[in-house]
Amino acid sequence: MIKYIEKSIGRKESGQYMSRYDYIIFDIDDTLFQYKKAERHIMSRIFEEENQAINEDVYEELWALSWKHWNRYHLSNPDTEELQSRYHEYYHKHLYDYMDEMRERYHLNTSKETLHDKFLSYFEESAESVENADFVVKELADRHCLAAASNGLTKAQNRRMEKYREYFQYVFVSEELGACKPDRKFWERVFQKISVKPENCLMVGDSIHTDIKGAAAYGIHTCWLNSGKRENNTGILPDMEITNLNELLEHLSKSADKWQRTAEGLKAWVDE
């Protein structure tokens, strides 16, 4: 867990805006940073070093290969005790398998071990933001405390989050916490650090299972970033659903107005 800047916690006022949430907590991959573009950047570098040509068809083949091995180890939804305890072991295994099949299919000369290490090294350098993330983060940092919560490897995610260092108070990564989203233990360890009530926080993430389900079960308000406009047949209902991070600002402004009117009404009732 990295702690960045100190910032007072409590309701924040900015003009007519009063925040309902003490903390807004963001997932990292495909919520703040574009994961697919990160992989394209990695593969471009690896193939260039191997003096191999790469084109759009190869990129898509590699993307399908990546998903094949990711899904083989069920890393998209680590909701069993075994996956929780072995998530990071499986993360490395899926990557070794991916690199091994890639090198055989495309006749690369480098070992799977070296490719695995290169992948992670280049991944650390890949921090291309999703659409409007830079603007939204800067806007929200004036009104809220911000944190990030990710299933992943500590070194890689911490380095990538350096891009937003001045705006985030905490970066929580599963490898360091010893628990993964959506498990309750992940959130228990997060709230040992930020010391606010879950109901005064909002979790923003792209995964309905990993981000939304676990946060909601812990009492955190949730916002599903559904940029692909996927149909939700899971029975898991987020408090907000957006297709672009810009929409989050509008939702929060309306929520804050409603919260402030309620607070003012209660105050007037008490004063009477």
Side-chain angles (χ1 to χ4, degrees), residues 47-244:
F47 273 64
E48 182 180 359
E49 291 167 0
E50 294 279 330
N51 295 314
Q52 290 269 27
I54 190 167
N55 56 35
E56 194 63 32
D57 289 339
V58 175
Y59 281 128
E60 290 305 314
E61 289 170 5
L62 290 169
W63 185 240
L65 201 60
S66 175
W67 271 108
K68 169 188 168 182
H69 291 290
W70 184 264
N71 289 330
R72 177 184 173 191
Y73 289 98
H74 307 286
L75 294 172
S76 290
N77 187 21
D79 61 351
T80 67
E81 187 174 342
E82 181 192 9
L83 283 170
Q84 281 286 320
S85 63
R86 303 183 68 183
Y87 179 88
H88 305 97
E89 173 193 345
Y90 288 162
Y91 186 103
H92 287 288
K93 282 187 173 182
H94 110 274
L95 190 51
Y96 280 121
D97 292 349
Y98 176 19
M99 295 297 98
D100 195 33
E101 187 169 351
M102 180 181 76
R103 67 183 293 277
E104 290 184 4
R105 181 180 295 192
Y106 298 101
H107 310 292
L108 306 183
N109 295 318
T110 307
S111 70
K112 69 176 182 180
E113 291 81 10
T114 299
L115 290 172
H116 165 279
D117 294 345
K118 283 186 175 185
F119 184 101
L120 292 179
S121 176
Y122 298 158
F123 182 58
E124 293 175 17
E125 302 169 10
S126 303
E128 185 168 346
S129 300
V130 305
E131 185 180 10
N132 296 317
D134 293 349
F135 172 75
V136 170
V137 164
K138 291 174 185 177
E139 285 290 304
L140 292 179
D142 287 337
R143 306 166 180 175
H144 306 267
C145 293
L146 303 183
S150 172
N151 286 349
L153 304 182
T154 303
K155 182 182 176 186
Q157 298 298 55
N158 283 345
R159 183 171 177 190
R160 296 169 79 217
M161 282 300 296
E162 284 288 326
K163 179 175 182 177
Y164 293 133
R165 180 183 184 126
E166 65 182 292
Y167 304 110
F168 277 72
Q169 282 65 60
Y170 291 99
V171 176
F172 299 103
V173 184
S174 60
E175 185 179 36
E176 188 172 7
L177 288 184
C180 300
K181 299 177 295 181
D183 193 77
R184 185 176 183 86
K185 290 192 293 291
F186 180 94
W187 292 111
E188 287 173 348
R189 291 167 191 178
V190 165
F191 280 89
Q192 286 172 3
K193 299 295 182 182
I194 63 176
S195 300
V196 296
K197 295 179 179 179
E199 60 265 32
N200 291 337
C201 299
L202 177 71
M203 174 66 196
V204 183
D206 67 293
S207 171
I208 198 78
H209 290 284
T210 306
D211 298 320
I212 306 305
K213 179 181 178 181
Y218 199 73
I220 305 166
H221 288 242
T222 57
C223 176
W224 183 31
L225 175 58
N226 184 15
S227 55
K229 299 182 180 180
R230 294 160 288 169
E231 189 173 354
N232 180 9
N233 296 316
T234 65
I236 302 165
L237 299 178
D239 296 297
M240 307 176 194
E241 180 178 337
I242 59 176
T243 59
N244 187 293

Side-chain angles (χ1 to χ4, degrees), residues 260-270:
Q260 189 168 355
R261 288 195 300 271
T262 300
E264 288 171 351
L266 287 172
K267 184 177 183 301
W269 180 77
V270 171

Side-chain angles (χ1 to χ4, degrees), residues 28-55:
I28 295 180
D29 285 302
D30 289 327
T31 301
L32 293 174
F33 300 130
Q34 299 183 61
Y35 186 83
K36 188 173 184 179
K37 283 201 171 182
E39 279 216 6
R40 286 177 70 101
H41 166 75
I42 292 164
M43 295 310 163
S44 178
R45 290 186 64 175
I46 288 175
F47 273 64
E48 182 180 359
E49 291 167 0
E50 294 279 330
N51 295 314
Q52 290 269 27
I54 190 167
N55 56 35

Side-chain angles (χ1 to χ4, degrees), residues 11-14 16-20 252 256-257 259-260:
R11 306 300 181 194
K12 295 173 176 57
E13 296 185 45
S14 178
Q16 297 302 310
Y17 180 108
M18 180 175 281
S19 166
R20 174 181 180 177
L252 289 174
D257 287 344
W259 181 86
Q260 189 168 355

